[in-house]
């Protein structure tokens, strides 16, 4: 009887494992962010908008410095600021540092440091926090907040 119980427990664990591992069990949210999302900003982000958008949930919740929250469709959330940055001479951004904290199997927080490149060989550092969730078997950015680079 114990053998059957252990077998059933083992089979249950095998069936449930893909559900509890979050998105792509071979790739943590940290690895996904660092190898899939980050590089899209490093070369030609204006040409890679559609690829960048696949990394976001359909809406992004922004956490403002004053504590307010706003929810915006991802396309609008990304393209409106990107157009404004481009007008300011922004060319691209390089993910220069990050720290990911696993919250559970389907959620992680990612603190980032980016080096922003502008026309005229000007660089600037910007920092942000992202909440990354496993949604339908894929990692997606669902929340964002600007953070101080200290």
């Amino acid at each position: 009887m114990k053998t059957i119980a252990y077998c059933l427990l083992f089979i249950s664990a095998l069936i449930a494992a893909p559900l509890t591992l979050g998105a792509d069990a071979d790739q943590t949210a940290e690895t996904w962010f660092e190898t899939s999302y980050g590089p899209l900003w490093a070369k030609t982000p204006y040409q890679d908008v559609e690829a960048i958008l696949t990394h976001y949930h359909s809406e992004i919740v922004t956490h403002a410095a004053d504590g307010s929250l706003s929810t915006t469709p991802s396309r609008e959330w990304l393209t409106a600021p990107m157009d404004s940055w481009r007008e300011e001479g922004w060319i691209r951004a390089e993910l220069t540092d990050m720290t990911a904290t696993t919250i559970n199997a389907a959620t992680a927080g990612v603190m980032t440091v980016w080096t922003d490149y502008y026309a005229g060989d000007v660089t600037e550092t910007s920092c942000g926090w992202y909440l990354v969730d496993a949604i339908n078997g894929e990692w997606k950015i669902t929340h964002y907040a600007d953070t101080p680079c200290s």
Side-chain angles (χ1 to χ4, degrees), residues 67-138:
S68 64
L69 299 176
S70 60
T71 302
T72 310
S74 296
R75 181 172 297 280
E76 178 185 330
W77 185 87
L78 177 66
T79 58
M82 193 181 269
D83 290 342
S84 175
W85 301 335
R86 190 176 207 171
E87 289 172 14
E88 296 168 5
W90 180 82
I91 300 166
R92 64 188 187 87
E94 182 179 321
L95 181 62
T96 51
D97 195 20
M98 63 175 276
T99 304
T101 303
T102 300
I103 297 169
N104 59 41
T107 306
V110 181
M111 295 291 291
T112 62
V113 178
W114 298 87
T115 299
D116 296 307
Y117 293 86
Y118 289 84
D121 290 329
V122 175
T123 61
E124 192 175 284
T125 300
S126 60
C127 299
W129 167 85
Y130 299 78
L131 189 67
V132 179
D133 289 303
I135 299 173
N136 298 323
E138 296 180 321

Side-chain angles (χ1 to χ4, degrees), residues 39-51:
L40 291 171
W41 292 90
K43 293 182 182 164
T44 54
Y46 299 113
Q47 295 171 5
D48 297 329
V49 170
E50 294 307 315

Side-chain angles (χ1 to χ4, degrees), residues 2 6 11 13 25-26 30 33 36 38 42 50 53-55 65 75 78 83 104 112 126 133 139 146:
K2 278 187 177 180
Y6 286 125
I11 291 169
D26 294 332
E30 179 177 19
F33 198 98
S36 184
E50 294 307 315
L53 281 168
T54 66
H55 290 73
R75 181 172 297 280
L78 177 66
D83 290 342
N104 59 41
T112 62
S126 60
D133 289 303
W139 292 112
D146 284 327

Side-chain angles (χ1 to χ4, degrees), residues 5-37:
Y6 286 125
C7 285
L8 290 174
L9 182 61
F10 178 73
I11 291 169
S12 297
L14 287 176
I15 292 170
L19 302 176
T20 59
L21 289 174
D24 189 353
D26 294 332
Q27 192 173 51
T28 64
E30 179 177 19
T31 301
W32 171 84
F33 198 98
E34 188 172 27
T35 63
S36 184
Y37 179 70

